Amino acid sequence: MTNLITLQQRAQQGEKLAVLTCYDASFASLMANAGVDAILVGDSLGMVIQGQRSTLPVTLTDMVYHTRAVAAGAPDTFIITDLPFGSYQASPEQALISASALMSAGAHCVKLEGGAVMASTVAFLTQRGIPVCGHLGLLPQSVNTLGGYKVQGKTDAAAQQLIADAELLAASGAAMIVLEAIPATLAAQITSSIAIPTIGIGAGVDCNGQVLVLYDMLGLGKPPRFSHNFLQSANSLHEAVTAYVDAVKTANFPTEQHSFK
């Protein structure tokens, strides 16, 4: 079974980590057989499964349900689950209760959004045996504050803040950090400045790994610019996921076309 130490060792040895979102047992089993390193049970399910306009309506009950389904389909694959909006921001104690529910459902790591403001929560959780994945850059749960789904870290000040946030999260015990929709050069700087893996989504090829929303990778709906339709040139869903894993592992995805300057 893949575990956190395994993933960190792979990244340290220069192997790219291929991650995909998943929300059910059938796709989880397919991903495990296709060689995905880790599965993210993302609160993106609010948009791609529930038809919501953002991730904000997703509840902890929703995340527990989908985590349990994914864990049943891929029992030997490392599972990261998003802490949904409103389930962890109030206090570290609230985060512990929510994270415990997700871990009991089958998650091996929980993901939360935010930089310095979440550092004490990251430390609180990790000190109690709960691995944490940070999330910096475009924060979908803060879409109303950010004014939409926009590229982050474009100014010098914003870039320096993201670097400082990443270093602080790492120092607080975060196991890895997702970098979303930031300039590729900035993502490379962050990756080289911390000792834990970075997982990019619209953050360039120099991150230690990549993650995409499953439905975007299959070309469903209106995929963002940083995604790619791997089903278009495949003969099956399994072949599409395998092609994604191979493209990530060989650093053929993302290309400049899928990155921001």
Side-chain angles (χ1 to χ4, degrees):
M1 175 178 174
T2 303
N3 57 45
L4 179 59
I5 302 303
T6 303
L7 293 178
Q8 291 176 332
Q9 288 175 340
R10 289 177 188 174
Q12 290 169 358
Q13 293 166 1
E15 180 180 345
K16 297 288 188 179
L17 304 177
V19 185
L20 279 172
T21 68
C22 187
Y23 319 99
D24 66 83
S26 296
F27 268 113
S29 178
L30 184 154
M31 288 180 188
N33 291 330
V36 168
D37 291 291
I39 290 173
L40 170 62
V41 185
D43 57 3
S44 50
L45 69 88
M47 303 172 80
V48 300
I49 300 294
Q50 298 175 342
Q52 306 285 357
R53 299 188 66 178
S54 74
T55 64
L56 300 183
V58 177
T59 67
L60 182 61
T61 299
D62 293 332
M63 299 307 299
V64 167
Y65 173 87
H66 288 279
T67 298
R68 187 173 291 118
V70 169
D76 295 324
T77 302
F78 192 78
I79 297 171
I80 306 163
T81 298
D82 277 334
L83 284 162
F85 178 73
S87 72
Y88 64 95
Q89 291 94 338
S91 67
E93 289 78 13
Q94 182 202 30
L96 177 61
I97 293 170
S98 299
S100 297
L102 296 178
M103 299 291 282
S104 295
H108 304 110
C109 178
V110 297
K111 182 167 76 64
L112 50 75
E113 298 182 10
V117 69
M118 298 311 303
S120 61
T121 296
V122 170
F124 189 86
L125 293 177
T126 57
Q127 289 165 7
R128 286 157 180 78
I130 298 178
V132 178
C133 176
H135 187 144
L136 297 173
L138 172 59
L139 306 178
Q141 293 178 8
S142 300
V143 62
N144 292 317
T145 301
L146 298 175
Y149 298 95
K150 300 177 180 179
V151 179
Q152 303 297 305
K154 297 181 72 173
T155 67
D156 288 342
Q160 291 304 311
Q161 184 61 59
L162 284 174
I163 293 171
D165 283 341
E167 292 175 346
L168 181 56
L169 289 180
S172 299
M176 59 185 73
I177 299 177
V178 168
L179 301 175
E180 181 169 1
I182 66 174
T185 53
L186 174 58
Q189 280 184 274
I190 293 173
T191 300
S192 65
S193 72
I194 57 178
I196 59 175
T198 59
I199 309 297
I201 176 167
V205 72
D206 291 316
C207 294
N208 298 114
Q210 301 293 327
V211 63
L212 284 179
V213 171
L214 170 65
Y215 294 88
D216 291 342
M217 188 274 289
L218 296 177
L220 301 177
K222 296 181 179 180
R225 167 192 157 176
F226 53 71
S227 187
H228 176 74
N229 182 356
F230 284 88
L231 184 59
Q232 191 171 26
S233 56
N235 295 314
S236 67
L237 292 172
H238 183 273
E239 191 174 306
V241 176
T242 301
Y244 166 74
V245 172
D246 181 66
V248 171
K249 295 287 185 183
T250 57
N252 287 314
F253 177 82
T255 66
E256 288 189 13
Q257 173 188 344
H258 308 106
S259 305
F260 301 103
K261 297 182 178 180

